[in-house]
Amino acid sequence: MRLLPCLFLLSVSTVATASIPTGKNHGQWLVTSISSVDGVHGGDASVILAQGDEHNDLEVRWNEGSASVNVSMYIDECVGEESFEASYSVATDKWLQMSDKEVRTRLRANILIWLDRVRRTCASTPRFKLRALDAAAKDFTDRLRGFAGYSE
């Protein structure tokens, strides 16, 4: 009889443990995924492709339960106290249906447009690197496919 409460506590403690994020660097880019933030299997999975820090950030993010992949750029104190922000979203299903080349082309084009706007608008320009974006975007999409259960 004492075994049942122990088994229950063991199962509860196992469920309450969040998974450890896994990541890989591609040049300046970091691709990270976590299968469970809250410790519940299938809860709060995330895949993130990012470069920068809390002041200047380029990010592609998908969170479990979200219907879209969000792409954003944030530059802190672009002009005086004002920040520069740009973003767009792509439906998760549409992102997963795009070829790796289409994903790379769209990301690169939008980032270049934003960087051009930053150069013309901001007092100083962060040094984001686009090298290795292709490999990072592929890694992000492959991880997303794994979590979303999508197969080509």
Side-chain angles (χ1 to χ4, degrees):
M1 223 25 168
R2 291 182 188 175
L3 184 59
L4 285 177
C6 290
L7 288 174
F8 174 75
L9 288 174
L10 180 61
S11 68
V12 170
S13 66
T14 303
V15 169
T17 305
S19 70
I20 297 171
T22 59
K24 183 173 181 181
N25 286 323
H26 299 274
Q28 298 287 345
W29 298 97
L30 174 63
V31 180
T32 307
S33 58
I34 185 166
S35 60
S36 176
V37 173
D38 63 6
V40 177
H41 177 69
D44 299 330
S46 296
V47 183
I48 304 163
L49 164 63
Q51 183 180 147
D53 56 33
E54 68 274 3
H55 301 290
N56 303 306
D57 183 50
L58 269 169
E59 183 177 275
V60 181
R61 175 183 285 269
W62 172 83
N63 294 313
E64 185 176 31
S66 173
S68 62
V69 173
N70 301 304
V71 182
S72 63
M73 177 186 275
Y74 175 79
I75 309 296
D76 193 27
E77 298 179 0
C78 172
V79 179
E81 295 292 317
E82 291 187 40
S83 301
F84 174 89
E85 293 182 67
S87 65
Y88 68 93
S89 297
V90 177
T92 304
D93 290 344
K94 183 175 180 182
W95 185 284
L96 292 172
Q97 290 170 1
M98 289 190 293
S99 70
D100 289 337
K101 183 177 180 179
E102 289 171 318
V103 168
R104 291 189 316 257
T105 301
R106 182 166 185 179
L107 274 177
R108 189 174 296 278
N110 283 289
I111 291 170
L112 287 171
I113 290 168
W114 291 344
L115 288 173
D116 184 54
R117 287 177 44 203
V118 166
R119 278 192 228 32
R120 289 185 283 122
T121 307
C122 298
S124 65
T125 305
R127 299 198 179 272
F128 291 117
K129 304 284 186 207
L130 295 186
R131 252 179 275 138
L133 176 60
D134 296 355
K138 181 172 180 9
D139 187 5
F140 174 88
T141 302
D142 288 347
R143 290 172 189 247
L144 176 57
R145 281 190 176 106
F147 284 111
Y150 180 86
S151 61
E152 294 180 76

